[in-house]
Amino acid sequence: MTAGLRWVGLLPAGLIVLPLLAFALGMHVPTALIIFLLLIGLMLTGMPISIALGLTVLTYMFAMTNVPITAVALKLFTGIEKFEIMAIPFFILAGNFLTHGGVARRMIRFASSMVGHWHGGLGLAGVLACALFAAVSGSSPATVVAIGSIILPAMVKQGFPTRFGAGVITTSGALGILIPPSIVMVMYAVATNTSVGQLFIAGIIPGIALATMLGMTTWYRARKNNYPRLQRATWAERWRAFRESIWGLLLILVVIGGIYTGIFTPTEAAAMSAVYAFFVAVFVYRDMPLRKVPKVLLDSANMSAMLLYIITNAVLFSFLMASEQIPQAMAAWMLDKGLGVVAFLLFVNVLLLLAGNVMEPSSIVLIMAPILFPVAMKLGIDPVHFGIMMVVNMEVGMCHPPVGLNLYVASGITRMGITELTVAVWPWLLTMLVFLVIVTYWPALTLWLPQTLGMMR
Amino acid sequence: MLRYLDHLEEWLIAFLMGGATLLIFVAVVHRYAAGVPVPVLQDALLKIHLSWAQELCIYMFIWMAKFGAAYGVRTGIHVGVDVLINRLDPGMRRRYILFGLLAGALFTGVVGSLGANYVWAIGHTDQTSADLELPLWIVYLCIPCGSYLMCFRFLQVAVSFIRTGTLPHHDIAHVEGVEEPGAAYPIADDLHPADLGQRGER
């Protein structure tokens, strides 16, 4: 503990007390500044983000407005009274049914039979398996654990350095939030009133593109270092592996197909995918005995409730922002400064990458999207493009310290320190950053598919 | 006594999760099945109206969210920004963690009381929900009940933290059917506060 840190320790307390003091003394501080300082101070104390958001709003309502405070309690209910939001618990449930080592093994077998004979061998298979498993399970840390703890020992046994495997799995595990169905996309859709269906379809090509780029990095480094390859699988083996993994993969098809053809609304598609996942896990794969189902329900409810609670309070907070006209003021300021689309997108990316240092994706999207979105609209940026860009940015945040969730999980299963792992991850992290630039400044990559399919103008 | 409350909470949210899923599944199947021209069956299906399913699903999930959030305090699943405090010395960290827990209790307590007031007020009107025609006060009852329960959970965690210096930890990386080499030591992730004894491992 350095002396410097001891002073930093007083920072949250100062950030909470100062704005309140300034307000109590009747000093002329802009309300927006008070709100933000208070929020940052409360968050830095380490309390749940939902509580920090809620307390900020409560303080604001209590001290600075004449809005009846009962409105807060009511908003806590009506804020999430939307059917679209309910896709989140359903997707979490669907993912949890299929988050199982057995499913991971099937995906790995399929992936290695398809690409294992190229340079990179198991590493390349790891990228593909992560992409598939992450899409189905919907959870990045779970992907890193499930795929990583099966494939990493096998890679080490074949002679890959631990670093290489750890780098591949840590970054590829994050692919799940870009490949639909994605919970972070639903969050963005909820926060900005964008169509979930359009976002899902728009995520397909960037998802495949990023997986390909991560695969290329793996391939290149493996070829340079001459890492072992697998024997080419016969078509019969491939067919068998495909038939085993198809039941899990069909979940993606149920969701995308169902939404695209208009058979289901996104929330209905989510519910159908949950029932489908239950059926596959219990009766087709038989990974899960029926008596485990209540446990899965409870775990899913726990995770969903946590996210819904953040949403509730984030809705309250964005209600506060709107009533103080903060996004409008920001938009006016930026346009006034002559900030163009290019500079704004750069600013957004840097801001989000910084936020990614301290928070996890759902909270960032829920807090930042309502603030940044109105500005983006003023500048004529497409809402779907903006959303996909945010999601890609979130992926990067999951793979670097201090808060990259994937990094911590990977450090758990590889027993490598965070610092060592950060070094191991960098080639793939750099690839992701390059991809982030591509997605940011090339909207056609995102918008081509939904436009071609006639889902957008 | 407390054990019964714990179980009740768990069963309630697990039931709401499963129930809502089945409900929407049945509603969708019904919508398409009723379009298939099978003589007697179609007539029977057309007589059943499931237009209220969507509303009920929303209410079930909001109830699940309120009680699940309370359960989440007990399981330590709520995420925060813990980068800073996890690097502070134990004395300072202890104060911040306690402050956070009490702030949580304060917020949920206030919201619970506001909600109770509101429910009391509309309890004396005969407002009902749009499709189900449930009395609104029953629907909104989850705000005071859920929030007060959450307040109680925050206090409970605070007391046990004062006594033992440990917090409930949610295992983010548990996957069934995988032998976990990582289970040997807890994964500290800076989205949750670390226990007081855990300093210096990073």
Side-chain angles (χ1 to χ4, degrees):
Chain A
M1 180 71 39
T2 56
L5 261 179
R6 199 161 299 143
W7 288 107
V8 173
L10 293 173
L11 187 72
L15 281 174
I16 297 168
V17 174
L18 275 181
L20 291 180
L21 205 65
F23 177 76
L25 293 176
M27 283 155 76
H28 284 284
V29 188
T31 322
L33 192 65
I34 296 187
I35 294 169
F36 278 115
L37 289 183
L38 189 62
L39 179 65
I40 293 171
L42 287 174
M43 286 210 286
L44 283 180
T45 66
M47 69 174 63
I49 286 183
S50 41
I51 301 290
L53 285 166
L55 269 179
T56 309
V57 177
L58 215 56
T59 317
Y60 164 81
M61 297 279 252
F62 189 68
M64 297 171 219
T65 61
N66 302 320
V67 183
I69 203 161
T70 325
V72 176
L74 190 60
K75 260 271 180 248
L76 279 181
F77 191 96
T78 54
I80 53 169
E81 217 180 359
K82 277 191 206 154
F83 196 51
E84 292 80 62
I85 298 181
M86 304 312 160
I88 293 168
F90 286 139
F91 279 135
I92 289 176
L93 182 61
N96 278 0
F97 274 125
L98 291 178
T99 304
H100 194 282
V103 180
R105 256 174 231 115
R106 291 181 185 91
M107 301 284 177
I108 292 171
R109 207 172 303 143
F110 173 56
S112 46
S113 79
M114 294 310 284
V115 297
H117 58 286
W118 291 337
H119 285 288
L122 269 180
L124 209 53
V127 176
L128 184 58
C130 274
L132 300 177
F133 189 80
V136 170
S137 79
S139 158
S140 296
T143 304
V144 174
V145 172
I147 302 287
S149 46
I150 295 166
I151 215 169
L152 287 178
M155 284 177 80
V156 172
K157 208 188 274 169
Q158 280 196 6
F160 285 93
T162 319
R163 284 182 159 203
F164 186 81
V168 170
I169 301 300
T170 309
T171 43
S172 306
L175 279 167
I177 60 174
L178 185 56
I179 302 175
S182 149
I183 290 157
V184 181
M185 283 187 199
V186 182
M187 297 269 186
Y188 175 83
V190 167
T192 62
N193 273 325
T194 311
S195 143
V196 176
Q198 286 177 2
L199 280 168
F200 277 8
I201 303 286
I204 297 176
I205 289 185
I208 294 173
L210 180 56
T212 311
M213 279 178 67
L214 290 174
M216 268 156 50
T217 309
T218 313
W219 182 85
Y220 173 76
R221 286 178 56 85
R223 202 179 68 141
K224 209 174 71 181
N225 294 315
N226 204 13
Y227 289 145
R229 297 154 69 166
L230 295 177
Q231 224 166 19
R232 181 190 288 271
T234 63
W235 282 102
E237 280 167 346
R238 285 179 184 169
W239 174 243
R240 216 174 313 126
F242 174 72
R243 255 195 9 216
E244 275 197 350
S245 57
I246 188 66
W247 294 107
L249 296 176
L250 271 177
L251 181 113
I252 308 175
L253 203 71
V254 168
V255 174
I256 303 273
I259 297 176
Y260 171 62
T261 54
I263 300 176
F264 312 130
T265 65
T267 308
E268 285 171 351
M272 296 311 262
S273 72
V275 174
Y276 174 79
F278 161 77
F279 187 75
V280 169
V282 175
F283 298 111
V284 181
Y285 284 162
R286 293 163 193 256
D287 287 332
M288 185 185 296
L290 260 177
R291 66 186 155 76
K292 278 276 171 83
V293 172
K295 172 91 169 55
V296 173
L297 287 174
L298 185 62
D299 286 345
S300 312
N302 195 11
M303 178 57 86
S304 320
M306 187 269 283
L307 293 175
L308 287 174
Y309 205 68
I310 300 180
I311 297 180
T312 331
N313 289 288
V315 167
L316 262 186
F317 186 71
S318 64
F319 168 69
L320 181 166
M321 305 291 287
S323 76
E324 277 294 311
Q325 307 223 313
I326 290 169
Q328 287 85 339
M330 254 182 78
W333 181 77
M334 284 195 179
L335 292 178
D336 196 45
K337 284 265 180 283
L339 206 62
V341 175
V342 175
F344 172 71
L345 289 179
L346 184 70
F347 165 77
V348 170
N349 272 316
V350 172
L351 182 70
L352 292 176
L353 286 175
L354 286 177
N357 281 321
V358 291
M359 280 194 271
E360 47 84 49
S362 324
S363 320
I364 301 178
V365 168
L366 285 168
I367 297 173
M368 295 296 188
I371 305 175
L372 298 171
F373 186 74
V375 188
M377 291 306 96
K378 277 256 166 62
L379 288 169
I381 298 166
D382 188 275
V384 173
H385 169 223
F386 195 65
I388 299 295
M389 185 197 89
M390 275 188 90
V391 171
V392 174
N393 196 305
M394 295 302 102
E395 282 191 0
V396 179
M398 302 191 81
C399 306
H400 67 79
V403 172
L405 207 47
N406 283 10
L407 216 54
Y408 284 101
V409 178
S411 119
I413 56 173
T414 56
R415 311 207 165 205
M416 286 163 76
I418 292 292
T419 325
E420 195 188 351
L421 199 57
T422 311
V423 178
V425 156
W426 81 260
W428 290 273
L429 195 61
L430 206 65
T431 312
M432 283 177 119
L433 281 170
V434 170
F435 182 71
L436 177 60
V437 175
I438 296 176
V439 161
T440 305
Y441 292 111
W442 188 25
L445 178 73
T446 311
L447 299 178
W448 178 79
L449 188 63
Q451 278 170 348
T452 309
L453 290 177
M455 292 187 78
M456 295 170 65
R457 77 210 129 65
Chain B
M1 174 60 198
L2 272 181
R3 282 241 312 279
Y4 288 111
L5 184 66
D6 290 357
H7 283 304
L8 186 68
E9 190 183 54
E10 287 166 16
W11 277 105
L12 177 70
I13 60 174
F15 163 76
L16 288 170
M17 182 91 224
T21 313
L22 269 183
L23 177 70
I24 293 301
F25 177 71
V26 170
V28 171
V29 170
H30 169 262
R31 190 172 74 214
Y32 284 99
V36 184
V38 181
V40 185
L41 186 69
Q42 191 178 24
D43 292 338
L45 283 175
L46 282 173
K47 278 199 195 101
I48 310 170
H49 289 283
L50 286 175
S51 53
W52 44 266
Q54 198 157 320
E55 193 183 77
L56 183 60
C57 165
I58 292 176
Y59 289 160
M60 285 172 94
F61 272 153
I62 295 183
W63 276 68
M64 184 196 79
K66 300 297 170 209
F67 287 92
Y71 175 69
V73 175
R74 177 152 69 90
T75 54
I77 201 174
H78 290 280
V79 291
V81 179
D82 295 275
V83 173
L84 183 69
I85 64 160
N86 279 353
R87 283 163 180 71
L88 298 178
D89 60 273
M92 198 81 123
R93 190 156 82 219
R94 184 187 155 88
R95 267 172 237 151
Y96 276 126
I97 291 176
L98 267 180
F99 173 77
L101 290 171
L102 294 179
L106 173 74
F107 175 71
T108 47
V110 169
V111 165
S113 308
L114 292 173
N117 253 326
Y118 185 76
V119 167
W120 182 254
I122 53 167
H124 295 290
T125 65
D126 37 356
Q127 291 183 49
T128 57
S129 67
D131 295 328
L132 283 169
E133 297 179 1
L134 271 174
L136 267 189
W137 70 269
I138 296 185
V139 174
Y140 287 151
L141 201 59
C142 65
I143 306 177
C145 294
S147 296
Y148 279 140
L149 183 62
M150 199 168 168
C151 178
F152 173 68
R153 294 296 184 201
F154 269 119
L155 293 174
Q156 221 180 4
V157 172
V159 168
S160 93
F161 178 70
I162 292 171
R163 279 203 194 131
T164 62
T166 56
L167 291 162
H169 285 290
H170 172 70
D171 186 2
I172 41 163
H174 177 75
V175 176
E176 289 282 331
V178 167
E179 307 85 48
E180 279 170 67
Y185 59 91
I187 294 165
D189 61 9
D190 278 338
L191 293 170
H192 302 89
D195 291 339
L196 288 184
Q198 272 186 337
R199 198 171 70 94
E201 283 169 27
R202 49 185 73 247

